[in-house]
Amino acid sequence: MARGRKLTVKKPARTAAKGRRGSVKRATKETDIEVAVDLDGTGASEIATGIGFLDHMLDLLARHSRTDISVKAQGDLHIDHHHTAEDVGIALGQAVKQALGDMRGITRYADVHLPMDEALTRVAIDIPGRPFLVFKVDFARAKIGDSDTQLVREWFQAFAMNSGFTLHVQTLYGSNDHHIAESCFKGLARALRAAATIDPRAAGEIPSTKGALGG
């Protein structure tokens, strides 16, 4: 190399082999939450929110998206489950957004029809950095176990707004509330897995004619 010549080192793009990871700590007067994700994991999960049903749904989300997810949450459950469920959705959405980085090479769009016994839910996802939620899901009862069914929507709203996802969730039919909720989370998992996958034909490219995602 000639003396005085400046060497420019190009930073390598983040690859699946290195892992796409995100972590968030969120503490308020209502909740104290730590979340970590690895989008290129194996589906391992370590979930402890204090809400049994939410733990079950997040375990399903990890397993079927092949995302490693760790969630440790303490919240004011003596009041109700609302603050904890919503804040876990916020923190997990932020961690996923962090893990996606500039979203180079991702497939971006995905949709899935997810059957769970008699229930069938359609989930469509776009990862543009512009959050939006359409949630057309009806429950027959107020609770699944000791968890309010209305908190399913609250969790999806918090997750979509903080991940930057455009997310459409619609249960086409179903009669068992547990099955309906499970089909929503599993549908999100499978759609996320597909949309976040690196497309080998577009590796390193921003999947937008604008040349940028996020606004």
Side-chain angles (χ1 to χ4, degrees):
M1 183 188 302
R3 181 176 296 178
R5 183 178 177 183
K6 186 177 180 180
L7 176 64
T8 301
V9 179
K10 185 177 180 181
K11 293 182 179 179
R14 182 164 47 179
T15 64
K18 293 182 178 179
R20 293 174 292 170
R21 302 183 180 92
S23 61
V24 169
K25 293 183 179 181
R26 174 183 172 84
T28 71
K29 293 181 179 180
E30 299 166 341
T31 61
D32 190 349
I33 297 170
E34 293 186 22
V35 169
V37 302
D38 183 350
L39 293 175
D40 302 305
T42 62
S45 63
E46 186 177 352
I47 314 293
T49 68
I51 305 172
F53 184 71
L54 181 59
D55 288 357
H56 178 42
M57 293 299 103
L58 295 182
D59 182 54
L60 295 174
L61 178 62
R63 180 68 57 86
H64 292 283
S65 67
R66 305 300 291 177
T67 299
D68 292 346
I69 299 177
S70 172
V71 179
K72 299 177 182 178
Q74 292 183 326
D76 53 3
L77 299 181
H78 62 285
I79 297 176
D80 65 12
H81 292 175
H82 185 280
H83 297 146
T84 300
E86 182 178 35
D87 286 5
V88 166
I90 290 171
L92 189 57
Q94 291 173 347
V96 169
K97 185 175 183 178
Q98 184 184 124
L100 284 165
D102 63 7
M103 296 171 274
R104 289 183 182 273
I106 63 169
T107 302
R108 178 176 170 178
Y109 297 98
D111 67 275
V112 62
H113 284 75
L114 200 295
M116 178 64 195
D117 292 351
E118 88 299 340
L120 181 65
T121 295
R122 175 173 57 209
V123 178
I125 191 172
D126 176 19
I127 307 179
R130 297 189 307 276
F132 199 90
L133 176 69
V134 175
F135 193 81
K136 296 184 177 182
V137 180
D138 294 319
F139 294 102
R141 295 177 296 159
K143 288 184 177 292
I144 302 174
D146 62 351
S147 187
D148 295 335
T149 50
Q150 65 179 344
L151 293 183
V152 176
R153 188 192 190 286
E154 292 300 319
W155 186 92
F156 272 85
Q157 176 76 14
F159 179 81
M161 294 302 104
N162 287 274
S163 62
F165 290 1
T166 296
L167 186 57
H168 292 247
V169 182
Q170 182 179 17
T171 296
L172 303 179
Y173 45 81
S175 57
N176 182 292
D177 286 341
H178 188 122
H179 294 165
I180 290 171
E182 190 163 327
S183 67
C184 292
F185 278 89
K186 284 182 175 179
L188 171 61
R190 298 298 297 193
L192 173 60
R193 179 176 176 178
T197 294
I198 300 298
D199 182 348
R201 295 181 299 171
E205 297 179 9
I206 299 291
S208 172
T209 55
K210 296 178 180 179
L213 292 173

